[in-house]
Amino acid sequence: MALDALGAVRDRSRALAQMSVGERYRVRLACLLGAQHDFLLLDEPTNHLDEHGLDFLTAALRDHPGGVVLVSHDRVLLADVAPKILDLDPSIDGRPRVYGDGYEGYRAGRSAAMARWEQDYDQHLAEEARLADDLSAAQNRLRSSWRPPKGTGKHQRATRAPSLVRAVNRRIDDLADHAVSRPVAPLRFHMPELATLSGVTLVRAEEVAVDGRLTGPVTVALESGDRLLITGPNGAGKSTLLAVLAGQLEADQGSVRVAANARIGFVAQETPSADRRRVHDIYEARMHQLRHLGLDATVPLRSLGLLSAADTARPLAELSMGQQRRLDLALALAGRPHALLLDEPTNHLSIALVDELTEALDATAAAVVVVTHDRQLRRDLGHWPELVIPGRNEAHKA
């Protein structure tokens, strides 16, 4: 049942090594869900699932009688199945936080916690400044042998400056013992200004098909500013169509024309990399390639807000899948493309980045095509034109 519901391969003679990343994942997930374990540990379980598979997974997790711990950035899944959320992002005391009331409770709680952290830090700085002024005044009195005005009691007229200095220093030490760390500013994505070619069809695919992968004919035409959401079940050929539009794959039928000087940015589905080059070197090689092609208006990596300085100094193979996906996006944006083609762009990305990316995709002047099963992203982009690629069985029936 789980194999069918998740669209997994049922041919037991096929080795996992002969399957695609998505096919292997669905087989393993089906086996896990069907094993009736007492406890499930799931890392990004919605990746590689289509709408039917997502519905099945949601129901299976809701009905599971044992415990479930899942790592996920799928906002709809979290809202549907997670009554409590453990947040590992930086906090005021460096400890993780548990938020109740589901996904909405997490969002509200996280926002309130960040606001309190910023307020406490501002108050800490203000107290530091006030004590510094107090210490300076006390030290000035000590240097000038300050005494209270005449008329004060004899023993009170003795200088109190040393005791004032000691008292202020004790308050400074106490404040240091209860120091509030600076709130950690999260990376924020900045979409560069992408290029346009007005009055030109950037890419036109005319009645294309790919044997065994995309049942055609499919026709797509893109101009600057166009938006297109491509949906359909697993195996329908959505990724194949995107690769054809990007010039990464040749169609067996039909034709594809790309306008002269049109630049296409393409982010394929994730594949873990074993590349040992530093991230910075990989990006610089891409920049050098673009300059060699005559493009001067390239995008500096730091300006995108996708990777920290520390991460850019690390070998690509040591980065998480989410960090590798951020680099994939950066490489696609490096040349300020006229058309941006994204295959499951939310896989492994943080919730905050997905929200920022969604807003940016809606606003850019470039043409944008998105292939996704992400239910929240589909809702957010629901005003875009949609191309539904039918499953192969449905296509043959038609």
Side-chain angles (χ1 to χ4, degrees):
M1 176 181 175
L3 288 170
D4 288 336
L6 297 176
V9 173
R10 300 195 64 187
D11 183 357
R12 295 177 181 270
S13 66
R14 283 187 63 184
L16 286 174
Q18 297 173 342
M19 299 180 190
S20 69
V21 173
E23 288 173 332
R24 289 198 299 271
Y25 185 84
R26 290 190 291 275
V27 168
R28 288 168 175 158
L29 182 59
C31 293
L32 190 68
L33 294 177
Q36 298 182 337
H37 292 296
D38 294 328
F39 216 93
L40 294 178
L41 303 177
L42 305 174
D43 188 358
E44 298 290 359
T46 60
N47 290 353
H48 308 292
L49 300 186
D50 59 18
E51 185 173 4
H52 184 61
L54 289 168
D55 290 342
F56 175 80
L57 173 65
T58 300
L61 295 182
R62 279 176 169 170
D63 296 340
H64 184 67
V68 177
V69 174
L70 63 96
V71 174
S72 179
H73 294 117
D74 187 303
R75 294 159 289 178
V76 174
L77 182 69
L78 292 175
D80 286 345
V81 306
K84 293 182 180 179
I85 293 181
L86 174 66
D87 180 19
L88 299 180
D89 281 339
S91 66
I92 189 170
D93 58 5
R95 298 177 181 177
R97 292 286 187 273
V98 176
Y99 296 100
D101 299 326
Y103 179 62
E104 289 304 317
Y106 153 74
R107 293 192 63 177
R110 177 65 182 169
S111 178
M114 286 301 298
R116 287 194 299 271
W117 189 359
E118 291 170 358
Q119 182 181 36
D120 288 351
Y121 182 69
D122 289 341
Q123 290 176 348
H124 180 81
L125 292 182
E127 182 65 8
E128 275 188 339
R130 189 181 69 79
L131 288 177
D133 289 342
D134 289 351
L135 180 61
S136 178
Q139 289 171 334
N140 286 337
R141 292 175 177 181
L142 182 62
R143 284 192 293 269
S144 62
S145 299
W146 173 87
R147 283 171 171 73
K150 288 183 178 181
T152 308
K154 182 178 179 181
H155 71 282
Q156 293 178 324
R157 287 203 63 216
T159 179
R160 291 184 297 176
S163 62
L164 287 174
V165 170
R166 289 193 296 271
V168 174
N169 277 323
R170 283 195 298 269
R171 284 150 55 199
I172 290 175
D173 290 342
D174 183 65
L175 185 66
D177 290 339
H178 299 86
V180 177
S181 62
R182 181 191 297 273
V184 179
L187 289 171
R188 294 191 63 85
F189 172 61
H190 300 284
M191 174 73 90
E193 184 177 349
L194 300 187
T196 59
L197 285 176
S198 300
V200 175
T201 299
L202 302 171
V203 182
R204 183 174 184 83
E206 189 79 35
E207 297 190 337
V208 296
V210 177
D211 293 345
R213 298 176 61 178
L214 172 64
T215 302
V218 177
T219 296
V220 174
L222 296 175
E223 297 183 4
S224 291
D226 280 352
R227 302 287 185 269
L228 183 62
L229 185 63
I230 300 179
T231 62
N234 284 325
K238 304 181 301 299
S239 296
T240 298
L241 175 60
L242 213 61
V244 168
L245 295 176
Q248 303 289 316
L249 181 66
E250 188 172 342
D252 294 310
Q253 302 174 43
S255 62
V256 179
R257 294 193 299 276
V258 179
N261 301 321
R263 298 190 297 274
I264 311 298
F266 177 46
V267 177
Q269 283 200 47
E270 79 275 6
T271 50
S273 176
D275 196 327
R276 297 299 304 178
R277 291 180 298 164
R278 292 186 309 160
V279 170
H280 177 269
D281 295 335
I282 293 172
Y283 195 82
E284 282 302 309
R286 173 62 174 158
M287 299 284 272
H288 178 76
Q289 179 188 42
L290 292 168
R291 295 188 192 106
H292 182 72
L293 295 174
L295 180 63
D296 294 325
T298 51
V299 179
L301 178 57
R302 291 184 63 181
S303 70
L304 295 170
L306 288 170
L307 291 162
S308 68
D311 289 334
T312 62
R314 296 170 59 192
L316 177 60
E318 294 182 5
L319 298 187
S320 68
M321 274 307 308
Q323 291 166 325
Q324 291 189 24
R325 292 290 283 171
R326 286 170 177 262
L327 178 61
D328 291 340
L329 179 58
L331 292 171
L333 295 172
R336 301 185 189 273
H338 301 98
L340 187 59
L341 313 181
L342 305 175
D343 194 355
E344 299 291 356
T346 62
N347 282 2
H348 300 288
L349 296 187
S350 69
I351 291 171
L353 177 55
V354 169
D355 288 338
E356 293 162 0
L357 179 61
T358 303
E359 183 178 349
L361 294 179
D362 230 3
T364 183
V368 183
V369 181
V370 172
V371 168
T372 186
H373 291 302
D374 186 313
R375 292 167 289 181
Q376 186 61 53
L377 183 62
R378 288 174 60 180
R379 294 171 189 174
D380 293 341
L381 303 182
H383 55 287
W384 287 19
E386 182 176 0
L387 172 62
V388 180
I389 307 294
R392 293 176 193 172
N393 293 336
E394 289 83 352
H396 287 310
K397 292 176 183 177

